[in-house]
Amino acid sequence: MTTLICNCNRTLPLDGEALSRVLDEPLAVHTTLCRREAPAFQRATRSREDLIVACTQEQRLFAELSEQTEGAVALDERPIRFVNLRETGGWGREGKQATAKMAALLAAARLPDPDPVPTVTYRSAGRLLVIGPLERAQSLARQLDDVLDVTLFATGGAGAQERRYPVLAGELRQLDGWLGAFKVEWTERNPIALDLCTRCNACVAACPEGAIGLDYQIDLSACRSHRDCVRVCEAPGAIDFQREPVTHEDTFDLVLDLRDPPALTRHALPQGYLHLPSGAGADAHMAAIVKLRDAVGEFEKPRFFQYKANICAHGRNEKVGCNACVEICSASAITSQVERQQIHVNPHLCVGCGACTTVCPTGALSYAYPGVGHQGQRLRTLLSTYGRAGGQNAALLLHSQQAGQRFVNDWGRAAQLDASVRGVPARLIPVACWHTASLGLEVWLSAIAYGASQVFVLVTDEEAPDYVRALQEQMAVGEALLQGLGYGGEHFRLIQARDARDITHIDQAVRVAPAAVTVVQPATFAVQASKRSTLDLALEHLVKQAPTSPLPSAIALPAAGAPLGSVHVNPDACTLCLSCVSACPAGALQDNPAAPQLRFVEKNCVQCGLCVKTCPENAIGLEPRFWLSEQRRQPRVVNEQPAYACIRCGKPFGTLKGVEAMLGRLSGHAMFQGAAVERLKMCGDCRVIDIHTGNEVKITDL
């Protein structure tokens, strides 16, 4: 491993000796690694050892320099890892106290790359549909038609006379899909058939009401049925007021929507769909044109999720329980398949936000890019290295790799240029995620167990409003758990920022936030692939290290987002039909083969509510809580009843209440009178024997 650090022309206070001790690697502090001292970088590129460069500003320059260096290892064989020490804390009032954080960031950069994941493929031949006013659509089409096969869907306006592009019109009924596979459905109701129209404008001139525009569509509300247009269009025959509405379907690779209210209003738009309203500026126009011109060919993205249907709490027996992932998905990528007892995730629509995995109580949906195990290893490395370097009261700042990273960089630069901004605190360790919504309660609690004092989550306009709500709900649950165990202070905080205008406010808010109480002895467990296992490991360590003594018997949790809890069964209403047992996806509710009992394992309960919705007697209720007794891991009886014995052989075959309820409901039915009702009191074997040995009149006797 080779690590190159640079103090950026002495503006960054680097303690090379301290960093060398913590990382167990001799580190030389460079002053201008990207300029005068570039030969040191070139020498390092000739080695096959992993190479870390503590500079992200000149990342492109270093990559080009590596390619131009004779004897350097190719970047595809040994990529260079870049770490930002400057804006993340070196530039700021506490730069000299940030050595522990710098060591932590460098140590995390040494970790191996996450395991590769399957990919999702898009194929685009460049067939583009532009929807909007005809004149504007044609103007944009002229900037794209040398690369793309353009079709226009006119929504009004006047267009050029030249028939340069196919033009569609009518009522747009459906538009969905993704890059390379957009399905469009529209209904053509207008009397003018655009494929027959010659654009001679005779109908426009002949119409006394001016009801025909240069988009060659008739405004039927203005038309007074003079039919002069039909007369002048006799030769082409493009106008027919008796034409029945026709519905068409077609597919396109790309869609450019120019209307102010777009066809798709979801927060995360599908790949290949661009919305460019009338008020969009020149920069937005240029960005859209560049993106569309580059969208021809074959493309891949990671398959961001893994799904285990066997532990999904979405539905059983056509009853919907947990619907959290369906409701929170901002890309409309998740749909219910309750008839199959599962959900379906469309990988082409999934944008990788990970919010579904965060709100999933069972771990049926898990984040795959990178996996939660890799994320946990990174957090543990950051916090353990920070502590080993003498750092105290570590706080993590989880942020996205795009807008969030830009905000952190702006924050650090502002501290260098504006005396009123103090910069990223020395104890605040920024952690870039693909998306902030991809990490939730079990990872946050693991971070506290690893020794973090607090976990801050930075959200920007990238995050959908539902993501913010879900993160706040999970933070409320986490805070309730920690406060109940005696860990004082605020451990979780959501920081909302739009752009650099919020830097001063965030700078002050984070600065005054006091450190919260955390564990004395950091945990060493690894974050597991199983969400419930990770949550259990984190809680087990937090309970052992809890400052409060004695501990409460149980900690009440907010109902929204709680993944832990108990159930209450009303014994007067419950008949032990055990419908809840078959519906429970987590094995929390169980029967007893040896006795008529309903048992419950609280550790397994995910509070999905399927048992509540399945129970025909409405006998079950939920109680969100964290029960600290070891009995939470063991089955406990929540209802039991005496058995009902067969009136013929005496063998128990049901519960007393269940059989009595059945007899009560069927007592007035004509088919269950006399001997028939007595058979309901028999076990299955005796019932068959009684049918074949009785003196009833049979149809064969007639």
Side-chain angles (χ1 to χ4, degrees):
M1 177 71 68
T2 300
T3 305
L4 301 177
I5 58 176
C6 179
N7 61 24
C8 199
N9 195 27
R10 300 184 178 87
T11 61
L12 180 65
L14 287 181
D15 188 339
E17 294 183 0
L19 292 173
S20 297
R21 286 195 302 271
V22 175
L23 299 175
D24 194 23
E25 176 188 352
L27 300 178
V29 178
H30 298 277
T31 301
T32 52
L33 187 64
C34 60
R35 298 293 188 271
R36 188 176 58 191
E37 295 175 277
F41 168 77
Q42 291 179 293
R43 287 193 296 272
T45 61
R46 297 187 179 98
S47 170
R48 288 197 169 272
E49 292 185 350
D50 289 345
L51 177 58
I52 298 173
V53 178
C55 175
T56 55
Q57 175 179 295
E58 301 295 342
Q59 182 172 341
R60 180 175 178 179
L61 173 64
F62 283 123
E64 293 176 351
L65 191 59
S66 176
E67 292 175 350
Q68 297 170 5
T69 300
E70 185 177 353
V73 178
L75 293 177
D76 57 351
E77 296 180 17
R78 193 278 322 271
I80 303 171
R81 299 175 186 172
F82 297 92
V83 184
N84 185 352
L85 301 182
R86 194 177 70 175
E87 282 85 359
T88 54
W91 275 0
R93 301 284 184 87
E94 300 180 14
K96 292 182 179 180
Q97 291 82 48
T99 298
K101 174 167 62 175
M102 295 178 185
L105 293 172
L106 291 171
R110 294 178 165 192
L111 294 174
D113 293 331
D115 295 333
V117 297
T119 58
V120 180
T121 302
Y122 298 87
R123 293 180 177 86
S124 168
R127 192 169 182 221
L128 168 67
L129 178 67
V130 183
I131 307 172
L134 195 52
E135 184 176 8
R136 186 170 174 228
Q138 288 177 331
S139 174
L140 280 164
R142 283 191 288 270
Q143 303 176 64
L144 298 164
D145 61 6
D146 60 322
V147 175
L148 305 175
D149 179 9
V150 182
T151 299
L152 309 182
F153 193 101
T155 60
Q161 295 294 294
E162 179 187 5
R163 189 193 290 272
R164 188 168 179 176
Y165 314 104
V167 178
L168 311 176
E171 177 188 353
L172 191 62
R173 300 176 61 87
Q174 180 185 4
L175 170 59
D176 56 28
W178 52 86
L179 177 63
F182 283 101
K183 180 181 178 182
V184 181
E185 181 181 306
W186 72 99
T187 299
E188 188 178 359
R189 302 181 184 275
N190 209 271
I192 300 181
L194 292 177
D195 56 338
L196 297 177
C197 178
T198 63
R199 275 63 166 178
C200 67
N201 296 330
C203 60
V204 177
C207 180
E209 293 91 8
I212 305 177
L214 290 180
D215 60 346
Y216 305 106
Q217 296 288 282
I218 299 177
D219 182 357
L220 296 175
S221 64
C223 177
R224 295 295 177 264
S225 302
H226 292 92
R227 302 298 188 259
D228 292 345
C229 56
V230 178
R231 176 178 52 79
V232 299
C233 192
E234 181 180 1
I239 306 178
D240 182 3
F241 281 86
Q242 304 303 316
R243 182 181 293 113
E244 293 291 331
V246 181
T247 298
H248 304 274
E249 289 184 3
D250 206 345
T251 57
F252 295 89
D253 299 310
L254 301 156
V255 175
L256 175 59
D257 197 342
L258 306 179
R259 301 170 300 168
D260 288 334
L264 303 178
T265 57
R266 65 192 71 160
H267 182 85
L269 298 174
Q271 298 282 345
Y273 175 87
L274 282 76
H275 179 223
L276 199 62
S278 57
D283 290 345
H285 276 76
M286 183 56 65
I289 290 170
V290 171
K291 185 175 290 188
L292 288 168
R293 292 178 67 89
D294 289 342
V296 180
E298 186 171 302
F299 308 91
E300 289 184 345
K301 73 172 183 182
R303 186 182 176 94
F304 292 101
F305 63 92
Q306 292 178 338
Y307 178 56
K308 297 179 180 178
N310 62 318
I311 59 172
C312 180
H314 174 62
R316 289 290 190 278
N317 304 322
E318 298 188 358
K319 299 284 187 181
V320 175
C322 174
N323 209 37
C325 61
V326 177
E327 293 174 350
I328 202 171
C329 181
S330 66
S332 297
I334 306 178
T335 53
S336 170
Q337 291 186 345
V338 67
E339 69 282 355
R340 298 178 60 187
Q341 303 186 19
Q342 63 182 30
I343 52 98
H344 172 69
V345 186
N346 187 322
H348 291 92
L349 291 177
C350 174
V351 296
C353 66
C356 57
T357 67
T358 294
V359 299
C360 178
T362 64
L365 276 170
S366 58
Y367 203 66
Y369 182 76
V372 68
H374 177 83
Q375 295 279 45
Q377 184 184 18
R378 183 163 61 136
L379 297 183
R380 187 175 56 176
T381 300
L382 285 168
L383 292 167
S384 62
T385 306
Y386 179 86
R388 195 167 64 250
Q392 296 181 343
N393 300 321
L396 300 177
L397 178 65
L398 306 181
H399 62 83
S400 68
Q401 293 179 339
Q402 301 298 323
Q405 186 64 64
R406 287 195 297 270
F407 183 88
V408 172
N409 292 344
D410 290 342
W411 190 1
R413 278 195 284 281
Q416 181 75 350
L417 303 173
D418 187 346
S420 66
V421 178
R422 299 180 63 87
V424 183
R427 73 182 188 93
L428 188 63
I429 306 174
V431 181
C433 313
W434 180 270
H435 201 290
T436 53
S438 64
L439 299 180
L441 180 64
E442 77 284 357
V443 177
W444 302 339
L445 289 176
S446 296
I448 301 297
Y450 290 151
S453 170
Q454 289 155 311
V455 176
F456 298 148
V457 180
L458 174 65
V459 297
T460 64
D461 289 340
E462 283 184 325
E463 282 78 14
D466 283 344
Y467 297 173
V468 176
R469 172 189 55 79
L471 292 173
Q472 289 173 331
E473 290 176 354
Q474 296 237 322
M475 286 183 175
V477 173
E479 204 66 75
L481 286 165
L482 293 174
Q483 297 297 329
L485 294 173
Y487 295 94
E490 181 188 22
H491 296 83
F492 306 115
R493 177 182 290 189
L494 198 68
I495 300 175
Q496 295 182 271
R498 296 163 299 171
D499 48 40
R501 292 173 293 180
D502 293 327
I503 285 177
T504 301
H505 169 70
I506 300 301
D507 184 80
Q508 296 172 353
V510 174
R511 186 73 51 188
V512 300
V517 178
T518 187
V519 296
V520 175
Q521 182 65 41
T524 58
F525 67 83
V527 169
Q528 305 295 302
S530 166
K531 182 174 190 170
R532 301 293 293 188
S533 298
T534 299
L535 182 61
D536 199 44
L537 287 169
L539 289 173
E540 182 180 359
H541 186 80
L542 291 169
V543 168
K544 288 180 180 178
Q545 295 283 312
T548 295
S549 181
L551 290 171
S553 59
I555 300 172
L557 301 178
L564 305 167
S566 182
V567 299
H568 295 292
V569 179
N570 182 351
D572 295 330
C574 176
T575 61
L576 284 186
C577 69
L578 302 181
S579 298
C580 54
V581 174
S582 62
C584 181
L589 286 165
Q590 303 173 357
D591 65 346
N592 186 348
Q597 293 178 338
L598 176 62
R599 300 188 297 176
F600 177 66
V601 182
E602 186 154 335
K603 172 182 172 291
N604 295 346
C605 182
V606 298
Q607 296 285 287
C608 66
L610 268 171
C611 56
V612 176
K613 295 182 179 180
T614 300
C615 180
E617 288 91 16
N618 297 319
I620 303 179
L622 302 179
E623 181 191 2
R625 71 173 189 177
F626 175 47
W627 192 29
L628 276 73
S629 171
E630 279 299 312
Q631 294 180 15
R632 67 186 292 266
R633 303 175 183 275
Q634 305 300 323
R636 72 175 191 269
V637 177
V638 291
N639 192 21
E640 60 181 337
Q641 293 177 8
Y644 187 92
C646 173
I647 61 173
R648 181 165 179 160
C649 70
K651 181 176 69 176
F653 70 92
T655 65
L656 178 62
K657 180 170 288 188
V659 175
E660 288 178 346
M662 176 179 61
L663 293 173
R665 291 168 184 170
L666 297 177
S667 61
H669 198 286
M671 292 185 63
F672 294 95
Q673 302 298 322
V677 75
E678 291 301 306
R679 291 194 188 109
L680 295 177
K681 303 175 184 179
M682 302 178 188
C683 67
D685 293 338
C686 291
R687 195 175 302 133
V688 173
I689 294 171
D690 188 71
I691 289 174
H692 288 281
T693 59
N695 297 318
E696 294 182 6
V697 177
K698 303 180 177 59
I699 191 171
T700 55
D701 299 331
L702 298 179

